[in-house]
Amino acid sequence: KFPSKVCIESNAHALARYSALVQECKMVPIVEPEVLMDGNHTIEDCYDVSQRTLNVTFEQLIMHHVDLSGIVLKPNMIISGSECDAQADIDKVAELTFMCLKDNVPSDVPGIAFLSGGQSSDLATAHLNTMNKKYMSEMPWNLTFSYGRALQEDALKAWGGTNRNEGQEALIFRARTNSLATKGEVEV
């Protein structure tokens, strides 16, 4: 099965070593066990691989004596592969992502900063918003974003190399929208 057990264990071990070294230097490690959305895998496949990856990552972090209360977890959301014919809807992504985190991320972890992982700006915001709106009261961690492409994409399109004001307005809009999504307050 792809990815292999050896692949997951090797990457989890490297993340744990990195995290332990960062904490020795009195800094906060960003632990990023990303499962890519590239491919034609189903959302269930993503759930399975993400669950195995998180489980092994936390086993390694604990084995390396990493203080879980002093990390930021930066995982993927549970989504269908970008080439999958059956794209899961927003509610399904929110539900499976929350379930995967609930079952595999210790409550000691204070915050989870999601990758956009190639999702569109609108979808990444909607997924985060729905998770916080539906499950915030059940979560021991703070859910937020660490989006690159999904934060910048609209601004870059609006800017187009010449329209600075439009680019800035688009960036401010997306930043505000994502900020509201961390509280489940985006109106759709």
Side-chain angles (χ1 to χ4, degrees):
K1 188 144 176 140
F2 185 76
S4 69
K5 182 178 177 187
V6 171
C7 176
I8 292 171
E9 288 174 353
S10 296
N11 284 299
H13 179 80
L15 282 171
R17 294 261 310 128
Y18 149 81
S19 298
L21 292 169
V22 169
Q23 284 186 345
E24 279 181 32
C25 294
K26 309 244 184 280
M27 295 186 294
V28 176
I30 298 173
V31 180
E32 191 172 337
E34 180 181 13
V35 174
L36 300 176
M37 68 179 284
D38 301 338
N40 63 358
H41 57 274
T42 65
I43 192 169
E44 291 80 14
D45 292 334
C46 182
Y47 181 92
D48 177 59
V49 172
S50 297
Q51 180 172 284
R52 288 187 290 131
T53 300
L54 287 169
N55 192 308
V56 174
T57 298
F58 281 103
E59 284 175 3
Q60 288 291 319
L61 289 169
I62 291 165
M63 209 171 3
H64 283 83
H65 306 288
V66 172
D67 177 4
L68 299 182
S69 69
I71 70 168
V72 174
L73 182 65
K74 191 175 170 184
N76 55 281
M77 292 180 190
I78 308 302
I79 56 178
S80 308
S82 57
E83 298 168 25
C84 182
D85 292 335
Q87 291 293 311
D89 65 24
I90 292 166
D91 287 328
K92 185 74 166 180
V93 169
E95 176 190 1
L96 288 182
T97 302
F98 172 70
M99 284 176 35
C100 190
L101 296 173
K102 183 179 164 200
D103 292 344
N104 297 285
V105 178
S107 60
D108 301 12
V109 174
I112 297 172
F114 284 107
L115 295 157
S116 54
Q119 299 177 71
S120 72
S121 304
D122 289 336
L123 270 179
T125 301
H127 290 147
L128 178 62
N129 185 65
T130 302
M131 276 184 269
N132 278 310
K133 187 176 236 168
K134 286 186 161 188
Y135 304 109
M136 187 180 284
S137 64
E138 301 175 53
M139 290 187 272
W141 348 265
N142 179 41
L143 294 189
T144 190
F145 62 95
S146 179
Y147 299 161
R149 189 178 324 156
L151 186 60
Q152 301 167 19
E153 183 176 45
D154 297 341
L156 290 171
K157 283 181 186 171
W159 170 55
T162 58
N163 300 315
R164 186 174 94 184
N165 289 339
E166 290 178 32
Q168 288 174 334
E169 287 173 15
L171 180 62
I172 289 167
F173 171 80
R174 184 56 57 191
R176 282 188 183 135
T177 306
N178 284 332
S179 180
L180 290 170
T182 66
K183 299 178 262 181
E185 295 178 358
V186 175
E187 296 300 322
V188 268

